[in-house]
Each structure stands twice: as C-alpha cells, then as structure tokens.
Amino acid sequence: EVQLLESGGQVAQPGGSLRLSCAVSGFTFRSYAMSWVRQAPGKGLEWVSAISASGDNTYYADSVKGRFTISRDNSKNRLYLQMNSLRTDDTAVYYCAKCPPGAVPDLFDYWGQGTLVTVSS
Amino acid sequence: EIVLTQSPATLSLSPGERATLSCWASQSVSSYLAWYQQKPGQAPRLLIYDASNRAAGIPVRFSGSGSGTDFTLTISSLEPEDFAVYYCQQRFNWPPTFGQGTKVEIK
C-alpha cells in the first residue's frame, strides 16, 4: 500500500524558515518523481514544486522560486521542502504527492494527508 | 499559464442522481486533463487522467470526457461517499494548474 506522511508544518514568522519532510513507503521511491502541492485555507490546489526520480531536475512555481528548495534522499525514502523567506500567503496545507511515470512530474496519483504551515507574526 | 474554470461552483443533488461537472480551459490542453476528488479533511484522490482514463481502483460510475478546452466529469449515480469537492487539473502546459473546484453537496 502506497503511503506518504508529511511532517514539519508549524507556525512560523514572516521571513522565517521551515523544512517539510515526507516519508514514503509502499513503492520504489527512487523510481518516481515527486511533487509538493499546497492548499490555502478554504481555497483550491496550487502546485508548488517537483523533483525528478534521480533528483537531478527540480521545478518550481514562480510564487516560490528562489525561496523554496525541493530535495530528496532516495536512501531514506524521504522528500523534503526547505522553505525560506516565508510570507503570509505561504500559509497552507502542504501535500506531498507521487507522480506516475512520465517525462515531466505533472500528474499526481497518490497524496499524503498534508501538513499545515501557518505564517503569522 | 493556463486558467481552468469549473462550473457550477456548487451542485446540489440527491443520492442516486446523475452529476455532471464542467471544466473549461483558457486554451487548448488537448486531452491532458485530470480530475481529483477531495473530501473534507482529506487529501485529494486522482479519479481520471488524460480526460477519460479512470485511475486505479476508481468505480465505473465515474467517467470523463472532452478534449481541447471543454471537459466533463460525470458521476452516473451518486453514492453517499461521492459528496465532495472535485478539481480539474491540466498538464498540457507548464506549470500544471488546477481549477477552483466544484462542490457536490447533498440536496
């Protein structure tokens, strides 16, 4: 059974930093691209970042480019999102999502339960 | 980036009724459109990919159709567990984008 479990969400101050983690099981992690997708309170879904299976290629939404860094440790079956220079509009539930095989990580076939990031002074 | 517009915002139906949800793209996305279901407090679940392909384990009452800019998700006969919010998502152009959602509520 595919499982994804996010952690690391908490309250942070504007300008602060957080690191989210996603522990995965039930599939061969090193073979699949992964993504982060967020959902602001009461709002829709917004793709944030993605990383290829090997970690060689990374992708970012314009809204987070230069502030967030996605990475992965295939030996530990973990996905990460380093979030710097946080803004109040980064407040959201952050989901990690598995991507099916493909040229680019643009489809999301399994999702974690999410971790809440609140940016507030 | 491609904007997806979903209609209606809310659909009020009774169990057993047919649900028809629409998603319009600001430009053609060919057949690269997916549908997700999200229940309160839960993660989204992939239902349909590439306009008409059901994801693994998705019941046959869910079907998708369309191409270009106009797409439809149909639930042939609503079950109690189908009352949720549904999102469309395009992957024709980078970055992938989502619609704003349609809530299917019990009438």
Side-chain angles (χ1 to χ4, degrees):
Chain A
E1 181 190 4
V2 173
Q3 292 190 349
L4 303 96
L5 183 62
E6 302 92 338
S7 61
Q10 60 180 293
V11 178
Q13 291 197 335
S17 297
L18 283 176
R19 189 194 197 201
L20 306 184
S21 179
C22 175
V24 313
S25 61
F27 64 99
T28 306
F29 180 64
R30 65 179 180 271
S31 297
Y32 294 92
M34 298 290 295
S35 278
W36 289 96
V37 179
R38 69 184 179 183
Q39 186 170 36
K43 302 296 185 182
L45 300 166
E46 178 189 17
W47 172 80
V48 173
S49 182
I51 187 167
S52 62
S54 65
D56 289 345
N57 297 301
T58 57
Y59 312 82
Y60 298 95
D62 286 346
S63 57
V64 306
K65 198 172 295 182
R67 301 188 299 122
F68 290 10
T69 303
I70 191 172
S71 62
R72 63 191 295 160
D73 186 334
N74 286 345
S75 68
K76 295 182 177 179
N77 285 1
R78 280 191 178 260
L79 175 72
Y80 302 100
L81 186 68
Q82 177 67 41
M83 310 166 66
N84 297 331
S85 303
L86 284 163
R87 309 189 306 218
T88 54
D89 61 358
D90 293 321
T91 295
V93 174
Y94 284 74
Y95 296 100
C96 72
K98 172 186 169 291
C99 303
V104 290
D106 53 8
L107 185 65
F108 318 107
D109 57 359
Y110 291 93
W111 300 59
Q113 288 303 302
T115 187
L116 176 62
V117 171
T118 302
V119 183
S120 174
S121 55
Chain B
E1 69 182 38
I2 294 177
V3 176
L4 300 178
T5 302
Q6 293 186 239
S7 178
T10 304
L11 195 53
S12 299
L13 295 168
S14 300
E17 289 194 291
R18 181 183 188 91
T20 303
L21 289 66
S22 296
C23 177
W24 286 276
S26 58
Q27 64 188 80
S28 176
V29 298
S30 185
S31 294
Y32 294 106
L33 190 102
W35 291 93
Y36 299 84
Q37 175 195 66
Q38 186 177 34
K39 298 178 183 179
Q42 296 188 19
R45 177 174 70 146
L46 177 65
L47 299 175
I48 302 286
Y49 65 94
D50 294 350
S52 61
N53 297 289
R54 271 186 302 276
I58 301 303
V60 296
R61 64 181 182 273
F62 291 93
S63 63
S65 63
S67 66
T69 60
D70 294 356
F71 298 87
T72 301
L73 174 69
T74 301
I75 310 171
S76 59
S77 178
L78 283 164
E79 297 288 339
E81 63 267 27
D82 298 338
F83 292 91
V85 179
Y86 293 83
Y87 293 96
C88 57
Q89 178 240 324
Q90 68 81 23
R91 65 187 192 101
F92 180 74
N93 264 5
W94 198 260
T97 53
F98 295 86
Q100 82 280 15
T102 289
K103 181 180 181 180
V104 178
E105 65 175 22
I106 300 176
K107 187 175 182 180

